[in-house]
């Protein structure tokens, strides 16, 4: 006999048990059936890939806003190269969110645009700002990994192929911020050296538009 938790989770099998419904008098009561089991991540039912994409739109705009806040901070501390780098990354994340919007539209699916998560705009120093941006990129990478996993679990193979481009993009993003943070630590407070490194090494990589998914509104910026 399978032991069920109140949420309908079989702890031994890591499966989600869908409740069936039966009528008792004037109300309905949830019951569990052994035949109504679907494989999933432990503790939750599988989310549809389109729903995951809609959530990723919010994540993308949040990352864009966080980069924008950091860029404004770098500008205020008279670090133009760091500011330009952050402004460019903000635009990149914004555009990537629009790529997801366009994909949903192309699939004749609803694309929902909402707010963003909390943004931090006050930093103790340049290193703290760069460290937060690295954390932002690492979070984005984990979110894209989840998208790939959801597409695979739900059998959405076109969707899985779509997010491969974002996986490659995140490898570059995380590597760039990791290197920047290392340079800041080694500079020992000499921000001029950091600025020179950013100007020389961390220019935004030009990626072929032929390989990038189309972004919503792209015709306006062409």
């Amino acid at each position: 006999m399978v032991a069920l938790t109140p949420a309908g989770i079989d702890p031994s099998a890591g499966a989600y048990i869908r409740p069936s419904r039966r009528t008792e008098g004037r109300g309905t009561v949830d019951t569990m059936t052994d035949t109504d089991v679907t494989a999933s991540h432990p503790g939750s039912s599988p989310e549809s890939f389109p729903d995951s994409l809609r959530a990723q739109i919010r994540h993308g705009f949040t990352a864009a806003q966080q980069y924008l806040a950091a860029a404004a901070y770098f500008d205020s501390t008279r670090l133009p190269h760091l500011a330009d780098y952050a402004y460019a990354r903000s635009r990149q994340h914004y555009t990537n969110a629009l790529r997801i919007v366009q994909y949903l539209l192309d699939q004749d699916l609803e694309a929902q645009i909402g707010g963003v998560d909390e943004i931090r705009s006050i930093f103790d120093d340049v290193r703290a700002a760069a460290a937060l941006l690295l954390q932002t990129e690492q979070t984005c990478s984990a979110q894209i990994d989840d998208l790939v996993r959801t597409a695979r679990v739900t059998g959405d193979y076109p969707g899985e192929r779509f997010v491969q481009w974002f996986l490659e993009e995140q490898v570059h993003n995380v590597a760039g911020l990791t290197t920047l943070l290392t340079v800041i630590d080694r500079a020992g407070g000499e921000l001029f050296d950091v600025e020179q490194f950013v100007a020389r090494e961390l220019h935004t990589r030009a990626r072929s538009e032929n390989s990038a998914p189309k972004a919503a509104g792209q015709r306006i910026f062409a």
Side-chain angles (χ1 to χ4, degrees):
M1 181 176 181
V2 178
L4 300 177
T5 66
I9 305 302
D10 173 3
S12 64
Y16 175 76
I17 313 297
R18 277 202 310 272
S20 63
R21 303 185 71 83
R22 59 185 174 85
T23 302
E24 285 190 357
R26 298 175 59 186
T28 58
V29 177
D30 288 337
T31 62
M32 303 299 173
T33 63
D34 290 339
T35 58
D36 238 347
V37 179
T38 58
S40 178
H41 299 297
S44 65
S45 60
E47 185 178 26
S48 75
F49 182 66
D51 284 342
S52 296
L53 285 178
R54 294 184 188 102
Q56 189 61 37
I57 294 172
R58 179 188 184 98
H59 299 326
F61 286 144
T62 296
Q65 286 293 97
Q66 186 57 73
Y67 263 104
L68 185 59
Y73 167 74
F74 292 143
D75 247 349
S76 71
T77 53
R78 305 300 185 267
L79 298 170
H81 292 303
L82 271 170
D84 288 348
Y85 174 75
Y87 282 128
R89 305 305 280 185
S90 174
R91 183 177 180 85
Q92 179 197 55
H93 279 286
Y94 182 85
T95 302
N96 285 351
L98 291 181
R99 298 187 199 283
I100 297 176
V101 171
Q102 186 62 53
Y103 178 83
L104 288 170
L105 294 175
D106 288 344
Q107 301 297 313
D108 199 24
L109 297 170
E110 183 179 8
Q112 300 170 349
I113 310 298
V116 299
D117 298 327
E118 185 176 357
I119 302 301
R120 180 176 169 187
S121 58
I122 299 176
F123 308 96
D124 293 335
D125 51 32
V126 170
R127 190 194 188 282
L132 181 61
L133 293 181
L134 174 57
Q135 181 181 343
T136 298
E137 292 293 359
Q138 291 169 334
T139 298
C140 287
S141 292
Q143 290 162 346
I144 296 299
D145 287 345
D146 285 343
L147 276 178
V148 175
R149 188 177 301 110
T150 300
R152 189 168 300 168
V153 167
T154 58
D156 194 325
Y157 302 113
E160 183 178 353
R161 187 165 57 251
F162 166 69
V163 296
Q164 290 298 320
W165 185 89
F166 296 90
L167 282 177
E168 296 177 11
E169 190 76 5
Q170 281 309 121
V171 170
H172 171 74
N173 292 352
V174 171
L177 264 297
T178 300
T179 302
L180 175 59
L181 201 58
T182 299
V183 170
I184 291 174
D185 288 338
R186 290 178 177 175
E190 295 293 333
L191 295 180
F192 176 79
D193 293 339
V194 176
E195 280 279 274
Q196 291 298 103
F197 168 80
V198 173
R200 185 178 66 251
E201 302 291 343
L202 285 190
H203 54 82
T204 302
R205 179 184 54 171
R207 296 193 64 186
S208 171
E209 286 299 316
N210 293 329
S211 65
K214 182 182 176 182
Q218 188 169 311
R219 61 188 178 276
I220 298 177
F221 304 107

